[in-house]
Amino acid sequence: MEGRRKFRREGEERRRQDLIEATLECVAERGLQGATVRAIALRAGVTAGLIRHYFPSKEELLQAAYAAIMGRMTEQSKAALAKVAQEPRRRLAAFVEASLQPPVIDARVFSQWASFIGRASSDPALAVAHRAGYLGFRDEVEALVAEVLTATGRDAPKAELRRYAIAINAIIDGLWIEGCLAGDFFEPRELAEIGIGSVEDMLGLKLRQPTAPPLPPLDGEGAGAPTSPVFDVAVQKQKKKTP
Amino acid sequence: MEGRRKFRREGEERRRQDLIEATLECVAERGLQGATVRAIALRAGVTAGLIRHYFPSKEELLQAAYAAIMGRMTEQSKAALAKVAQEPRRRLAAFVEASLQPPVIDARVFSQWASFIGRASSDPALAVAHRAGYLGFRDEVEALVAEVLTATGRDAPKAELRRYAIAINAIIDGLWIEGCLAGDFFEPRELAEIGIGSVEDMLGLKLRQPTAPPLPPLDGEGAGAPTSPVFDVAVQKQKKKTP
DNA sequence: GGCCTTGTTATGCAAGTGTATAAATATTCT
DNA sequence: AGAATATTTATACACTTGCATAACAAGGCC
C-alpha cells in the first residue's frame, strides 16, 4: 500500500558531497564504527544502495571523507593568510592564531581526525592520504618561518629552518588537541595567545606589536587582528646557538 | 570427531591482563573495528565466550584496555624521573627526553591512542578515562616546571605557571605525534633535542650543560644522560613579559 | 579416588554488516 | 507528448557481530 518513496535526482557532485558530509557527521558522533552505510544513507537522506552507485565500495567513501577533512583543515588555516598578506611576522601570527581558534579548533573535527588517523596506521590508502596532508601543513609552516627570518634579516640555514618548522608545527598540533579535547578549560583566546607566545620564544623575536596587551578584543567580523601594518622591529633577542 | 579443545585454568588477574593485551594488539593492528570479541579471543588463545566471563560486556573490556594504555604511557614518562632524582632542570629535561623516544614514541601505541580517543568524544565512559589521564600528565608537567622555577630563583605566578604547563605539554604532545606517525623522517634523538630546546626557549633558561653539543651519544644502558649533577646556572635570559 | 566448584569450550541466535541485483521513477532529449 | 537513460529505491543474501546458554573438564577439597 505505501507507494515507493519519492525522490529527486541530484547532480553527481552534489550527491558525492552530501554523502561525504554525512559520513563525517556519523564519524564525529559515533566513531568509525557508527559510520555504517545505512547510517550514512539515512543522514544523507537517501537509501543505502545509492552509496554503491557513487563509490565503488565503502572503503573509497571513507578515503574520500578523510581527504575532505584534511583538505578542509589546511584550507582554513591558509585562509587566514589570504586576509593578512602584508608582513611576514604578522602572517605567521595570523596562521598560528587561526589554527588555534574555531572553526579549526572543533571537537567534532578532532573526533573525525582521530578516528581516521587511528586507522591510517594499518590502512595504507589512508596512510598516504594522511602523509600528504600532513607534509602540506608542515611545508606551509616552514615557508612562513623562512619568510619571517629573511624579513628580519636573519640567515636561515636549512637545518635550523627545519627544526623551527618541526617545533612550531608540534606546538600548534599540541595546542590544537588540547583545545579540541578540553576547550572548556581555556579562555577563548588563551590558546592562540600561548601559541603565538611560544613561537615568539622559539624564534627569539616578536610577531605582534610589542605593546598590545593581549591583542584587542575581536568585535568586528573575521578572525583578524587590526589591519594596521605597522610593526616595531621589536625586542629581537638574539637566538643563542652554540657559540 | 575432534575432541574438545584442551585448556588450562589461569588465574583471574592473568587472564584479564592477557585479554587486555590482546585487545590492544588488535586495536593497534586493525583499529577499533578489528577488535572483535572473536579476534581478541583468538589472539589471547581462548575462545570468544570467555570474554564475557571476565568482562560484563565488550564495552568494559575496551574501557579497561584504554585505562591500561593511558596508565602505561604516563608511567613510562614518570619512570624517567625516578632515575634522575637530583636537579629540577635535569629532571624536566629527562622527562621531555623520555617522552620523545621509544618506547613512548611508538607507532602502535599511537594507533591505539588515536583509536580510543576518537571514540572518547562520543562515549562518556571513555571520555572521563581520558580526561583523568590527560590532566594527570599535565599536572606532572606543571609540578616539574614549578620545581625548576623555584630552583632557579624565579617567582612563579600561578597564571604563568599554567601557561608554561600548557605550552610544554603541547609541544611534547605535538612532537610525540610527529614521531609516532613519521618516525622515519627524524634522526634518532632529533625530536628529543627539539623538544628540550623548545622548552628551554619557552622558559628562557638552559636545562642541560650549556656546552654539551647535542648531548653525548647514549652508549650505556638506560635512557639517561650522564649522571654528573653539575650544572651551570647558564644563560638564564630574562623572560620578557609585557614591561 | 570421587565429588564439587567454576573456569572454559562449544553451539546457537537475533541483529546488523557490506554488497549485489532487480525494479521503479525522475529527468532529459527529441 | 513519448521514449530513452541512468539515478534512486527496494529487496535479498552471505557473512559477521555481540551476547546467551548449555555442555564440559580442570583443579582443589574431603
Side-chain angles (χ1 to χ4, degrees):
Chain A
M1 22 228 74
E2 275 301 328
R4 191 171 255 243
R5 180 173 162 183
K6 302 302 180 191
F7 61 91
R8 278 184 42 207
R9 302 173 102 160
E10 300 282 356
E12 165 164 356
E13 207 44 47
R14 168 68 184 277
R15 270 279 137 85
R16 293 180 88 94
Q17 218 50 39
D18 285 352
L19 287 174
I20 288 176
E21 196 57 41
T23 303
L24 288 176
E25 289 175 12
C26 287
V27 170
E29 292 178 10
R30 282 172 285 177
L32 259 182
Q33 325 222 44
T36 70
V37 286
R38 287 169 177 81
I40 293 170
L42 180 66
R43 189 169 281 263
V46 296
T47 49
L50 191 60
I51 289 182
R52 279 258 318 163
H53 193 261
Y54 287 104
F55 295 92
S57 86
K58 184 194 171 189
E59 200 69 17
E60 319 223 6
L61 171 56
L62 288 180
Q63 292 174 22
Y66 187 43
I69 185 190
M70 292 282 283
R72 205 176 300 176
M73 288 203 300
T74 61
E75 173 196 340
Q76 281 169 337
S77 292
K78 279 188 182 177
L81 295 182
K83 300 200 170 187
V84 190
Q86 311 94 350
E87 218 275 341
R89 275 170 294 180
R90 166 159 244 169
R91 286 166 59 83
L92 177 56
F95 184 82
V96 174
E97 187 177 4
S99 302
L100 296 177
Q101 272 183 326
V104 178
I105 283 203
D106 181 309
R108 292 171 63 89
V109 175
F110 175 82
S111 180
Q112 296 161 359
W113 174 84
S115 298
F116 278 116
I117 214 170
R119 213 168 96 167
S121 311
S122 44
D123 186 333
L126 290 185
V128 301
H130 157 72
R131 184 155 288 202
Y134 178 72
L135 289 183
F137 192 88
R138 204 181 80 180
D139 287 350
E140 194 69 34
V141 171
E142 190 161 327
L144 279 170
V145 173
E147 284 182 31
V148 169
L149 291 186
T150 58
T152 55
R154 262 209 250 165
D155 57 342
K158 264 178 68 176
E160 193 176 341
L161 192 59
R162 171 187 155 91
R163 288 171 62 100
Y164 283 144
I166 294 172
I168 292 174
N169 184 47
I171 201 167
I172 292 177
D173 284 359
L175 290 175
W176 178 74
I177 290 177
E178 293 193 71
C180 291
L181 280 175
D184 48 321
F185 278 14
F186 305 100
E187 300 294 323
R189 303 179 50 83
E190 187 176 12
L191 288 176
E193 282 302 315
I194 295 178
I196 295 178
S198 301
V199 173
E200 287 176 337
D201 290 344
M202 295 186 206
L203 294 179
L205 48 80
K206 284 283 188 186
L207 299 179
R208 308 160 292 190
Q209 293 87 336
T211 52
L215 274 192
L218 71 170
D219 40 12
E221 41 67 58
T227 48
S228 153
V230 184
F231 273 98
D232 284 44
V233 183
V235 177
Q236 185 99 1
K237 70 185 172 195
Q238 189 56 23
K239 196 86 210 305
K240 71 303 152 197
K241 282 275 101 178
T242 47
Chain B
M1 276 304 134
E2 276 302 328
R4 192 171 255 244
R5 180 174 163 180
K6 304 300 181 192
F7 60 91
R8 277 184 44 208
R9 302 173 103 154
E10 301 282 357
E12 165 164 355
E13 207 45 46
R14 168 68 184 277
R15 271 278 137 86
R16 294 181 87 94
Q17 217 50 40
D18 285 353
L19 287 175
I20 288 176
E21 195 56 41
T23 303
L24 288 176
E25 290 176 10
C26 287
V27 170
E29 292 178 9
R30 282 172 287 178
L32 260 182
Q33 325 221 43
T36 71
V37 286
R38 286 170 176 83
I40 294 170
L42 179 67
R43 189 170 280 262
V46 296
T47 49
L50 190 60
I51 290 181
R52 273 255 320 160
H53 194 261
Y54 287 104
F55 297 91
S57 85
K58 184 194 171 189
E59 201 69 17
E60 319 222 6
L61 171 57
L62 288 180
Q63 291 174 23
Y66 187 43
I69 185 189
M70 293 281 284
R72 203 175 301 175
M73 288 203 301
T74 61
E75 172 195 339
Q76 281 170 337
S77 292
K78 278 188 183 177
L81 295 182
K83 300 201 170 187
V84 190
Q86 310 95 349
E87 216 275 342
R89 275 169 294 180
R90 166 159 245 169
R91 286 167 59 82
L92 178 55
F95 183 82
V96 174
E97 188 177 5
S99 301
L100 296 177
Q101 271 183 327
V104 178
I105 283 201
D106 182 309
R108 292 171 62 90
V109 175
F110 174 83
S111 181
Q112 296 160 358
W113 173 83
S115 297
F116 278 116
I117 215 171
R119 212 167 95 167
S121 311
S122 43
D123 186 333
L126 290 184
V128 300
H130 158 71
R131 184 157 288 200
Y134 178 72
L135 289 183
F137 192 88
R138 203 181 80 180
D139 287 349
E140 193 69 35
V141 171
E142 190 161 327
L144 279 170
V145 173
E147 286 181 32
V148 169
L149 290 186
T150 58
T152 55
R154 261 210 251 167
D155 57 341
K158 264 177 67 176
E160 194 174 342
L161 193 59
R162 170 187 155 92
R163 288 170 63 101
Y164 283 144
I166 293 173
I168 292 175
N169 182 49
I171 200 167
I172 292 177
D173 284 0
L175 290 175
W176 178 75
I177 290 177
E178 292 194 71
C180 290
L181 279 176
D184 48 320
F185 277 16
F186 305 101
E187 301 294 322
R189 303 180 50 81
E190 187 175 11
L191 287 176
E193 281 303 315
I194 295 178
I196 295 178
S198 300
V199 173
E200 287 177 337
D201 290 345
M202 294 186 207
L203 294 179
L205 48 80
K206 283 284 188 184
L207 299 179
R208 306 160 294 189
Q209 292 86 339
T211 53
L215 273 191
L218 72 169
D219 38 13
E221 41 66 59
T227 47
S228 154
V230 185
F231 274 97
D232 284 43
V233 185
V235 178
Q236 186 98 0
K237 71 185 171 195
Q238 188 56 23
K239 197 86 211 308
K240 71 298 153 201
K241 283 275 103 179
T242 47

